[in-house]
Amino acid sequence: MSRLDPLPVSTSAPKERVAYLDNARYWVMLLVVIGHSLTELVVMDSARGVYTWIYLFHMPFFVLISGYTARHYVGDFRQIRRIVSTLIVPYLIVETGLQLITRHYDGEPEHFMILSPQWLGWFLAALFIWRLTTPIWRALKYPITTAVLISLLAGLIEIPNVLALPKVLGLLPFYVIGLHFDREVFLWLGHARNRIVAAVLLGGSFVVCLAFAQSWADRWPLTTWLLWKARYDELGAGPLEGIAIRALLLVIAFVLTLAALSLVPRGRSWTTTMGGRTFYCYLLHGFVILWLDRHFDLWQRIEPYGATAVLGCIATATIVANLLMTKPVATVFRPIFEPRLTWMFRDPSEDTQHLPGDHPDVWDRGVERTLPRRAHRPPSHHHLR
């Protein structure tokens, strides 16, 4: 991969939504909700197989897309305001709310641990840290190599769960790789030959995960490795073995992420519109799952039904995810999760350190600037918009 391209000189051109990125967010958000809905059923081989396959690549996929849409971050007034309104405020709301629910039903945590995300808040915390450190990854000569080394070495030491640092460091390479992507990479992935290979890779890996779900559970805790936060010794591995396993998982995750990106539709469809509202789905689906689990003991009730329960869980999670990506949900929750906060910040026109103009929002909203095409770019670029 080439080094990062310099920031664009002009930022005043109009911006538009990119159908490809919104489509990608829609499909990966389905995997997020399905994966979380299967967490309590992984004692069954069928659920563990599907869960393992999803966790092999779904968060690396999401993180890489996050890195790609962070390419234009320069820290201007508007971007900083968006960090506060779409990351910090939702983080505080969601993390406090989820901890209140678990405290009500389970009595835990005894004391609020707002800076130690227990579940969904970790990704908001990670986006906050990754976005603020973006200038560092742009300035380094070998950013991807550095990020990979940090990820591999992070599993050797005890890292407190402050703002989900273990996961932030473990998944860091995918964010930095995303910073290096450009449209040509996505166009290359969309070639028919590459899409065939991608379908074989994703389908084959799914079959392997189902076939070996029981043996993996008996021998080593693969599902725990895929959370990217535990130390190697906690997973029963020595330093060298732990580094080797995480390196292998990084490669597998990267390959499957490319395969998933290759199969994402390029054209505009209903998934494009829904994909533009994944923000609300991500923040709200945890409350639905937690309420169904704690109040109705749902997963324990359906566990005896085996594979039927797994299929039902997947179908229900798909329905819930789509409902949470509808316009009424976005209309109701936008003022809560995306407050404008204009009263708190100075007007962007007062920013004399950056060129005027809009930049993509912090929560990877699928926004791209309409830049002049370079001479060597093919006219098919509109497929990514």
Side-chain angles (χ1 to χ4, degrees), residues 226-246:
L226 296 176
L227 297 179
W228 303 91
K229 63 180 182 179
R231 295 194 318 271
Y232 300 146
D233 59 339
E234 293 177 320
L235 299 170
L240 294 180
E241 182 185 6
I243 290 175
I245 292 174
R246 176 164 286 190

Side-chain angles (χ1 to χ4, degrees), residues 258-318:
L258 292 182
L261 287 169
S262 178
L263 295 180
V264 171
R266 264 61 179 169
R268 188 171 297 277
S269 67
W270 62 272
T271 64
T272 309
T273 303
M274 302 287 272
R277 306 187 189 113
T278 54
F279 182 54
Y280 313 104
C281 180
Y282 182 83
L283 296 176
L284 293 171
H285 81 276
F287 290 95
V288 177
I289 291 175
L290 204 57
W291 178 65
L292 292 174
D293 180 45
R294 298 301 197 273
H295 195 74
F296 296 101
D297 205 13
L298 181 62
W299 277 264
Q300 187 171 347
R301 291 174 182 270
I302 67 175
E303 184 180 324
Y305 294 95
T308 302
V310 175
L311 291 174
C313 198
I314 293 174
T316 303
T318 301

Side-chain angles (χ1 to χ4, degrees), residues 66-124:
S66 301
Y68 176 72
T69 55
R71 298 177 342 278
H72 302 289
Y73 177 81
V74 294
D76 67 19
F77 282 11
R78 180 179 177 274
Q79 289 174 331
I80 296 300
R81 189 179 73 190
R82 292 292 297 173
I83 284 179
V84 175
S85 63
T86 62
L87 290 183
I88 296 178
V89 171
Y91 173 87
L92 294 175
I93 294 173
V94 170
E95 196 58 39
T96 301
L98 292 176
Q99 291 191 29
L100 281 172
I101 293 176
T102 57
R103 188 172 181 179
H104 171 72
Y105 286 105
D106 306 335
E108 296 179 350
E110 182 179 354
H111 305 288
F112 286 116
M113 299 185 293
I114 301 302
L115 294 182
S116 180
Q118 304 301 296
W119 191 17
L120 299 180
W122 83 265
F123 190 56
L124 299 175

Side-chain angles (χ1 to χ4, degrees), residues 57-70:
F57 70 94
H58 83 300
M59 284 316 301
F61 180 109
F62 218 158
V63 173
L64 188 146
I65 290 293
S66 301
Y68 176 72
T69 55

